Amino acid sequence: MPRPSTAEAEIAEELAVVRPALLPAYTGALPGARAAVLTRLWRGLTHEPLPWVAGREDTRSGVVLRLADGRRLEGPASDPYATDARVTAVRLDGTEYDNPARLMTDLAVPHGDSFAAELGHSAASLALSRAGQRDFGGPGEAAPERDWEWEQRVVDGHPFHPNCRSRPGFSVAEQLAYGPEHRPVVELGLVPVPAGECLVSGAWPDGLRDGDRLLVPVHPWQAAHVLKRAGDGSAPA
């Protein structure tokens, strides 16, 4: 059993407080989430030009990356465009890694530690996203008709970027409250901004005007953490 990353443990601790019933599903989703992030990471390592990768070699069993410090990083063949691949482990000088954050930490490349932290958060957040999902397309379920209904089905985030689900600065409660894959209704704050300071496209709705000011919908996380102010009224989204 691989040791959890710091992000995985932190999310588990928060989840035990804010949504304890979801904790078993989150724990069960971690191996698959690590593999999903590792798959994206391995695709990047094998196909992107990186200054600390001295050479690449295709072998019968996959790909070998020769690192500038003499080490070897080995893994399966990687298609740069496939989205159905699954990499469960790679080997660094013979040591197997199934956790992308620990792999990046032990690669010890420039900026690797900060990237490793982001990878750990991406895997943990992805596991949380998967934990709360139901099976779509069940008997009697109608096909989505609205854009947001389709967006709620995109559980895994970006298909190629290893930080597909990284949400730095978001607590577990905030991820559950705001992540579209968790299917919340989000109350957007309405912040008045002088019309002359706004660049908009098309006609601004009359219902979102306050005299010569436009009421701009603002995400509640942004209102609290960036603007540090509440909106004047709200609109569900």
Side-chain angles (χ1 to χ4, degrees), residues 3 12-13 19-20 26 29 36 46 53 86-87 114 117 127 139 154 186 191 198 210 212 214 222 227 235:
R3 291 179 295 131
E13 291 175 1
R19 192 76 65 83
Y26 165 74
T46 55
V53 175
R86 178 179 168 86
V87 178
S114 59
V154 184
V186 179
V191 176
C198 298
D210 179 17
D212 60 353
L214 305 185
Q222 184 185 29
L227 300 181

Side-chain angles (χ1 to χ4, degrees), residues 148-164:
W148 59 264
E149 291 177 310
W150 284 109
E151 185 176 4
Q152 289 180 343
R153 297 189 178 204
V154 184
V155 179
D156 283 14
H158 198 287
F160 295 111
H161 201 298
N163 282 339
C164 53

